[in-house]
């Protein structure tokens, strides 16, 4: 019974975790699409440039105003970006979502979220029904 219980819980758990990550990314894309602004930004500092940690670029608009939060390696602060470089980025004026480089295009995660939510509910319901039947036997 313990082995069956683990499988019945594992699928909804994994699906729920993936759903959370996909939804978070979709929320960030939506925020940047709705209120984001394109701007040329100067790199004023690069953290973790020569280490195994994720590189982060501190950006500043041409008027000297800082762009928060920092630009991450996976969003445009790749190898070769140095202090003093100018990058074109889309940033959130409210500073809630991290900036993206000029290769950013808003993605549509609606289909993926719908499929994951259906799997989560479906397997969760199936697992609960099976556990309920096993309890009666």
């Amino acid at each position: 019974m313990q082995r069956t219980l683990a499988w019945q819980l594992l699928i909804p758990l994994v699906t729920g975790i993936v759903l959370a990550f996909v939804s978070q990314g979709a929320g960030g894309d939506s925020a940047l699409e709705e209120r984001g602004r394109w701007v040329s930004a100067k790199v004023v500092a690069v953290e973790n440039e020569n280490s195994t940690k994720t590189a982060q670029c501190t950006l500043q608009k041409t008027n000297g105003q800082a762009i928060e939060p920092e630009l991450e390696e996976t969003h445009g602060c790749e190898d070769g970006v140095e202090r003093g470089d100018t990058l074109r980025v889309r940033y959130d004026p409210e500073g809630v979502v991290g900036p993206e480089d000029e290769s950013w295009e808003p993605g549509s995660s609606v289909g993926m979220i719908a499929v994951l939510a259906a799997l989560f509910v479906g397997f969760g319901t199936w697992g609960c029904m099976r556990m309920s039947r096993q309890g009666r036997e």
Side-chain angles (χ1 to χ4, degrees), residues 77-114:
C77 186
E78 285 92 13
D79 291 338
V81 174
E82 298 177 350
R83 185 173 187 233
D85 288 351
T86 301
L87 304 174
R88 182 161 165 76
V89 297
R90 186 164 181 102
Y91 80 103
D92 177 13
E94 295 181 19
V96 176
V97 181
E100 296 278 352
D101 69 355
E102 61 189 343
S103 66
W104 176 81
E105 290 183 14
S108 177
S109 302
V110 174
M112 176 73 85
I113 291 171

Side-chain angles (χ1 to χ4, degrees), residues 33-119:
E33 187 175 19
E34 185 176 311
R35 67 176 181 252
R37 305 283 182 261
W38 286 107
V39 67
S40 291
K42 184 176 181 179
V43 178
V44 292
V46 180
E47 294 179 33
N48 305 323
E49 187 174 12
N50 298 317
S51 73
T52 57
K53 295 181 181 178
T54 302
Q56 295 183 327
C57 296
T58 303
L59 302 175
Q60 201 175 59
K61 293 195 291 188
T62 53
N63 65 3
Q65 181 184 4
I67 295 176
E68 295 289 334
E70 296 176 332
L71 179 67
E72 294 184 5
E73 183 174 0
T74 55
H75 300 278
C77 186
E78 285 92 13
D79 291 338
V81 174
E82 298 177 350
R83 185 173 187 233
D85 288 351
T86 301
L87 304 174
R88 182 161 165 76
V89 297
R90 186 164 181 102
Y91 80 103
D92 177 13
E94 295 181 19
V96 176
V97 181
E100 296 278 352
D101 69 355
E102 61 189 343
S103 66
W104 176 81
E105 290 183 14
S108 177
S109 302
V110 174
M112 176 73 85
I113 291 171
V115 168
L116 288 170
L119 285 172

